[in-house]
């Protein structure tokens, strides 16, 4: 019996067989398969139209043109764009102020402020004093003063702290040369608080010279005439006030034009019979010797000038000066008790103290040591100024401590001199000084 059967299917080759089969394909066949891959894989980017490229380049150039190079940018705001600086008409001096510091604060030159206030580079300024910074205030005062010129004929002005002759003249609408002439003063004359300054020609006061009969009734006044010098007096002013020549006053008192006179001293006022009077001997404010040592005349003369200036100037009280010394020491890194000990030993906190050696003020600093102290702190110090005087003394103390082998030698150096101490050792009086300073330091600690 025959049956129909379906043809037998050949078995499927395994994967290795496929690989073998593929490997046996001709190269032409493989290249045909490669061509059959999708065409998207080899799509080339289309070129940028020329107009678009030009536009991109133009935009890039514009951006670069809008950027300002760093080298072209100024480091500071141009003066025309800076806010306007407002300078007040005047500045009231506060503790620690200096003329140069005030000038810098308001964008002015130091010379301009000095000139505006008729000050010198070594003039002393004090807290509460008003310094002019512009001429606006004096212009108004000048207009007001010129409204009633007749009032200047017999007007007097009492000098206040901080006044200057130039400022007084401007305030009353007159020339400085006129004020000097009316009062027998010079540009170098020193004026003091409480002093009376005549505003107006003394000719208007001539009627006061009308009573010659009264003067004749007491001729002894001229024969034995004398005058006690007051603060602010000058020899020419005294001569003019008494109706005598300056040369006669100088001759009668054995003085020169350069001689210094002091408040409280008596001057002979020469009259017709003044030749019989002995010339007065002026007692100096500062003696010429101290502890058996006599100082050169030039040093003593300078000391007397400084003493006269300090006597006529407002200075801090003893308690205020003690506080100034302590504050200065703290600020400069020196033990306040030690600085106070020096100030107490040297002057008792008296800023008006001046020695025959011309040691000035609370810390008793001589001018040459003041120059050294100025170098130490990097600015010019005025020893007549209470704050600068304290700064000078504390600066010297600090430097002596830094450069001496111990504290005792530093203290001795302030009194005897550092070089002398290192070469000769401490003298007996120096040892007493060191002991006193150390005792005072304990009291102030």
């Amino acid at each position: 019996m025959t049956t129909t059967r379906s043809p037998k299917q050949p078995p499927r080759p395994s994967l290795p067989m496929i690989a073998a089969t593929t490997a046996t394909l001709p190269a032409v066949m493989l290249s045909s398969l490669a061509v059959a891959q999708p065409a998207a894989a080899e799509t080339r980017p289309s070129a940028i139209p020329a107009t678009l490229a030009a536009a991109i380049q133009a935009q890039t150039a514009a951006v670069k043109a809008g950027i300002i190079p760093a080298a072209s940018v100024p480091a500071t705001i141009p003066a025309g764009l800076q806010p306007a600086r407002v300078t007040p008409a005047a500045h009231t001096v506060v503790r620690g102020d200096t003329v140069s510091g005030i000038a810098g604060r308001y964008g002015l030159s130091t010379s301009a402020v000095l000139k505006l206030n008729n000050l010198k580079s070594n003039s002393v300024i004090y807290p509460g004093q008003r310094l002019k910074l512009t001429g606006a205030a004096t212009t108004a005062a000048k207009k007001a003063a010129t409204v009633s010129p007749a009032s200047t004929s017999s007007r007097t002005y009492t000098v206040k702290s901080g006044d200057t002759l130039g400022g007084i003249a401007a305030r009353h609408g007159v020339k400085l040369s006129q004020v000097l002439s009316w009062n027998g003063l010079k540009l170098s004359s020193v004026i003091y608080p409480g002093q009376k300054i005549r505003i107006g020609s003394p000719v208007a006061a001539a009627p006061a010279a009308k009573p010659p009969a009264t003067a004749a009734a007491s001729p002894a006044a001229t024969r034995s005439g004398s005058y006690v010098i007051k603060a602010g007096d000058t020899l020419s002013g005294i001569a003019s006030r008494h109706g005598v020549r300056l040369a006669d006053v100088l001759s009668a008192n054995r003085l020169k034009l350069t001689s210094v006179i002091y408040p409280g001293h008596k001057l002979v006022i020469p009259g017709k019979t003044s030749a019989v009077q002995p010339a007065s001997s002026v007692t100096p404010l500062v003696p010429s010797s101290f502890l058996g040592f006599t100082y050169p005349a030039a040093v003593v003369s300078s000391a007397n000038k400084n003493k006269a200036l300090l006597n006529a100037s407002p200075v801090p009280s003893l308690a205020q000066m003690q506080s100034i010394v302590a504050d200065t020491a703290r600020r400069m890194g020196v033990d306040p008790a030690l600085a106070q000990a020096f100030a107490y030993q040297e002057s008792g906190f008296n800023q008006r103290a001046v020695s025959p050696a011309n040691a000035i003020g609370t810390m008793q600093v001589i001018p040459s040591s003041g120059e050294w102290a100025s170098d130490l702190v990097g600015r010019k110090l005025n020893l007549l100024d209470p704050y600068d005087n304290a700064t000078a003394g504390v600066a010297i103390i600090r430097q002596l401590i830094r450069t001496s082998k111990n504290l005792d030698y530093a203290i001795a150096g302030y009194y005897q001199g550092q070089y002398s101490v290192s070469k000769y050792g401490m003298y007996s009086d120096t040892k007493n000084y060191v002991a006193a300073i150390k005792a005072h330091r304990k009291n102030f600690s």
Side-chain angles (χ1 to χ4, degrees), residues 73-216:
V73 179
T76 58
I77 300 175
L81 300 178
Q82 290 182 352
R85 185 192 296 269
V86 179
T87 302
H91 171 83
T92 302
V93 178
V94 298
R95 176 179 172 182
D97 270 349
T98 61
V99 175
S100 58
I102 295 169
R105 189 180 311 162
Y106 297 107
L108 305 173
S109 66
T110 302
S111 59
V113 176
L114 291 174
K115 184 177 180 181
L116 192 60
N117 293 274
N118 286 320
L119 298 175
K120 299 179 180 179
S121 58
N122 63 344
S123 296
V124 179
I125 60 175
Y126 305 98
Q129 179 179 350
R130 287 181 64 79
L131 294 182
K132 290 185 292 183
L133 302 177
T134 66
T138 57
T139 303
K142 187 180 293 185
K143 291 180 180 179
T146 54
V147 176
S148 55
S151 63
T152 62
S153 59
S154 59
R155 176 178 298 183
T156 59
Y157 174 79
T158 303
V159 178
K160 300 178 180 62
S161 176
D163 274 343
T164 62
L165 288 169
I168 295 170
R171 195 176 307 154
H172 292 86
V174 296
K175 296 181 179 179
L176 173 59
S177 59
Q178 291 176 307
V179 174
L180 295 175
S181 174
W182 293 332
N183 294 274
L185 300 175
K186 301 178 181 179
L187 279 173
S188 58
S189 297
V190 178
I191 59 174
Y192 311 100
Q195 179 181 349
K196 299 287 186 181
I197 296 294
R198 182 186 294 116
I199 304 297
S201 174
V203 175
K210 217 186 329 186
T214 308

Side-chain angles (χ1 to χ4, degrees), residues 5 40 42 50 53 72 80 102 104 122 128 146 164 167 179 275-276 299 305 343-344 356 372 389 405 428:
R5 301 177 63 184
E42 292 196 11
S72 302
I102 295 169
N122 63 344
T146 54
T164 62
V179 174
V276 299
V299 174
K305 291 178 181 179
Y344 181 77
W372 178 37
N389 191 279
K405 65 180 183 179
S428 58

Side-chain angles (χ1 to χ4, degrees), residues 262 265 282-305 307-308 311 352-359 364:
Y262 307 103
H265 295 164
V282 177
T283 304
L285 295 175
V286 179
S288 60
S289 61
F290 179 70
L291 295 178
F293 184 82
T294 300
Y295 291 86
V299 174
V300 177
S301 174
S302 180
N304 276 280
K305 291 178 181 179
K307 179 68 173 178
N311 281 352
R352 287 198 172 106
V354 180
S355 78
N358 200 20
Q364 288 291 277

Side-chain angles (χ1 to χ4, degrees), residues 16 40 46 49 101 106 119 128 167 183 185 227 249 264 332 339 362 374 384 388 396 404 408 421:
S46 57
Y106 297 107
L119 298 175
N183 294 274
L185 300 175
Y227 175 77
V249 173
M332 297 180 67
T362 303
S374 296
L384 298 177
D388 277 5
I396 293 172
S404 299
D408 284 7
V421 173

